[in-house]
Amino acid sequence: MNGKNNTIRAAGDNLPVPSVLTAMSGGVDSSAACVLLKEQGFTCGGATMIMFNSENIDAASPQDDARSVCVQLGIPFYVFDFTELFHKTVIEHFVASYQKALTPNPCVFCNRFLKFERFLKKADELNYDFIATGHYVRKEYDAAADRYLLKKAADAAKDQSYVLYALTQEQLRRSLFPLGGFQKSETRNLAEKYDLMNAQRRESQDICFIPDGDYAGFIERCTGKQWADGDFINTEGKKVGVHRGLIRYTIGQRKGLGIADKTPYYVKKFDIPNNTVILCKIDELYSSSLEAADINLIPFARIDKPLRCKAKIRYRQVEKPAVVEQIAEDRIRVIFDEPQKAITAGQAVVLYDGDVVLGGGTIITET
C-alpha cells in the first residue's frame, strides 16, 4: 500500500497487510466503517474514546455497543479514557468562550485535539498504520502538490467536512474515511446486511456533553456562578427589555427574548462590562466580511494573493461566494459577495473550492 489513498494491496502480492484502528462511538456509522475496512482486507481493530461521564446519555452504553460489534467482527477492541483531556481541551474552552460572549464549536476542537491527535498517538502505541472514523468526508492525494486533500462527502446531507477543516497533512495521511462515498441509506443497509445490533440506532443531534441542550445551566454548574439579569438595549441606545444572563444568548438569536414588538428583535452583540445585550432588527444583522484566526490550510501552506472561493460560517449553511486573503501568518479576511446574516465570533469559517476544503479558522470579528 502506498499510503496515499484508501486502496489496499492487490491480491496475491507480498506487501504487508495494512492495519487500521477505527474510532467507534457505538453508532452505526463507525461500525459500518469498520465493516468496510475488514471487507477490504485491512487488519482491523476498534476503540472507543470515553470523553465524559453523564447520567443523561442512553442506558445502552456506547462502549458496550462498540465492543459488541468488534466481538461480532472478531477484531480487537480497546477503550481509551480521555475524560481529563476532553474536559481540559473541549469543555473548559466551551465554558470560557461563552463567558467571553463567544459561541464556540466544540466538535471542531474535539476532532482536532482528541479524535485525530490523541487517538492517532494511541494508534501509534498499538502499532496501527492508520486510523479510521465514520465521518462522511473524502480524502484524496494531489500528486502535483504532494499534499492530501479533504473533500465533501458524496451524501451532501451528511457531509461533515466543516468540522474537519483543521486536520493537518500528517493527520490526513494517516486517516481513512470509508463512508465518504456512501449515502446514509447505504450505510444502514450495510449494517443490516451484517446484522449489526446498532443498524437502526437514532442519531444524536445535540452536543454530546449537554444532551438536554441547556448550555447556560451546564456552564453555571461548571463554574458555580450565576449570571445576573441585565438590560436589552436596541441600536439606538434605548432599553427594550431585561435579559436573564449573557450566557443564555447567541448572535442572531430571535426566540426566547421575551420582547413584544411589531417587528422581531435579534441579538446583535454583547457589552460585557455593562452586562447588556444589544438587539437589532433583521436588516442590521448582516455583515459583508469577517476576520478569522487560528487558521489551517489544506491544499497549500499559504494564500499568497486574494483567492475566489466559497465560505460557510456555520455547519448547516450552504457556502456562499467570497474572496479570501491571508492578512497575517495566522489570520485571514473573508469578503462575501453578498452580506451574511449573524456572523458569529467563536464559530468556524470554512473555505471551499467546489468539493475541496481549502481550510478555515475561528471567526474573531465581523465587519
Side-chain angles (χ1 to χ4, degrees):
M1 180 175 181
N2 61 20
K4 296 183 188 274
N5 51 47
N6 285 4
T7 59
I8 59 172
R9 73 204 194 294
D13 67 27
N14 295 316
L15 293 175
V17 176
S19 59
V20 57
L21 184 64
T22 300
M24 301 184 70
S25 65
V28 64
D29 292 330
S30 54
S31 298
C34 200
V35 165
L36 282 170
L37 293 167
K38 194 167 188 297
E39 275 189 346
Q40 292 170 7
F42 286 88
T43 297
C44 294
T48 293
M49 292 170 275
I50 305 300
M51 305 292 198
F52 61 95
N53 297 310
S54 172
E55 297 176 356
N56 298 318
I57 55 178
D58 295 340
S61 164
Q63 175 183 332
D64 293 340
D65 290 352
R67 178 184 286 108
S68 295
V69 171
C70 288
V71 169
Q72 183 177 343
L73 296 177
I75 63 175
F77 176 71
Y78 310 89
V79 177
F80 304 145
D81 184 354
F82 289 167
T83 51
E84 182 177 350
L85 180 63
F86 184 83
H87 192 277
K88 292 185 65 174
T89 304
V90 178
I91 293 179
E92 288 186 6
H93 174 263
F94 179 88
V95 171
S97 295
Y98 264 92
Q99 292 183 87
K100 298 173 185 175
L102 303 173
T103 305
N105 192 315
C107 293
V108 170
F109 263 64
C110 184
N111 284 318
R112 180 178 180 181
F113 296 112
L114 280 85
K115 293 182 180 177
F116 290 89
E117 183 175 288
R118 186 55 62 92
F119 188 83
L120 183 56
K121 290 179 180 178
K122 287 290 188 181
D124 282 338
E125 292 172 8
L126 294 168
N127 295 316
Y128 281 90
D129 300 313
F130 298 95
I131 61 172
T133 72
H135 284 102
Y136 284 83
V137 291
R138 292 176 291 156
K139 180 186 84 169
E140 289 184 5
Y141 177 68
D142 181 352
D146 190 27
R147 293 181 76 92
Y148 291 87
L149 305 179
L150 180 68
K151 302 183 71 174
K152 293 181 188 176
D155 188 339
K158 294 299 299 178
D159 175 59
Q160 294 171 292
S161 59
Y162 177 86
V163 295
L164 297 182
Y165 78 85
L167 293 185
T168 67
Q169 284 294 300
E170 176 61 11
Q171 289 166 347
L172 281 169
R173 183 183 75 83
R174 297 282 304 280
S175 299
L176 303 178
F177 306 104
L179 303 184
F182 275 58
Q183 299 294 313
K184 179 69 178 194
S185 58
E186 294 176 303
T187 300
R188 291 205 182 276
N189 289 340
L190 179 69
E192 289 176 349
K193 171 186 172 183
Y194 277 81
D195 196 27
L196 299 182
M197 47 84 66
N198 53 14
Q200 294 301 324
R201 169 178 273 195
R202 182 176 61 87
E203 295 181 68
S204 172
Q205 301 298 322
D206 299 311
I207 292 179
C208 63
F209 56 90
I210 314 178
D212 63 0
D214 183 5
Y215 300 174
F218 178 83
I219 293 167
E220 287 177 338
R221 291 192 297 273
C222 282
T223 60
K225 294 168 55 179
Q226 297 289 320
W227 268 257
D229 295 351
D231 293 339
F232 280 128
I233 304 293
N234 66 18
T235 51
E236 297 173 350
K238 177 184 176 182
K239 177 179 175 179
V240 293
V242 176
H243 69 69
R244 299 179 296 111
L246 296 181
I247 60 171
R248 287 177 165 79
Y249 305 93
T250 59
I251 303 298
Q253 182 175 334
R254 169 184 158 184
K255 295 182 178 180
L257 302 182
I259 299 174
D261 198 84
K262 60 182 179 180
T263 56
Y265 276 112
Y266 297 80
V267 174
K268 181 174 178 62
K269 59 183 178 180
F270 303 91
D271 181 348
I272 297 176
N274 292 310
N275 190 32
T276 58
V277 178
I278 291 83
L279 305 181
C280 68
K281 300 300 185 177
I282 185 66
D283 58 333
E284 299 174 281
L285 197 59
Y286 286 80
S287 305
S288 296
S289 64
L290 62 84
E291 291 186 12
D294 194 19
I295 65 173
N296 182 64
L297 301 173
I298 297 178
F300 33 69
R302 185 178 178 84
I303 299 173
D304 294 320
K305 59 183 179 179
L307 177 67
R308 288 290 304 176
C309 65
K310 289 189 176 182
K312 61 192 299 185
I313 56 173
R314 57 184 59 89
Y315 184 60
R316 295 298 181 189
Q317 180 198 40
V318 176
E319 59 267 20
K320 304 295 183 179
V323 172
V324 59
E325 54 182 342
Q326 189 164 346
I327 58 176
E329 188 64 28
D330 195 31
R331 185 171 295 197
I332 55 174
R333 178 185 294 119
V334 180
I335 304 170
F336 292 94
D337 289 8
E338 297 181 357
Q340 299 300 302
K341 180 181 177 182
I343 296 176
T344 305
Q347 287 284 290
V349 58
V350 180
L351 313 172
Y352 293 86
D353 179 8
D355 286 345
V356 177
V357 180
L358 302 180
T362 302
I363 299 170
I364 56 175
T365 186
E366 50 84 18
T367 54

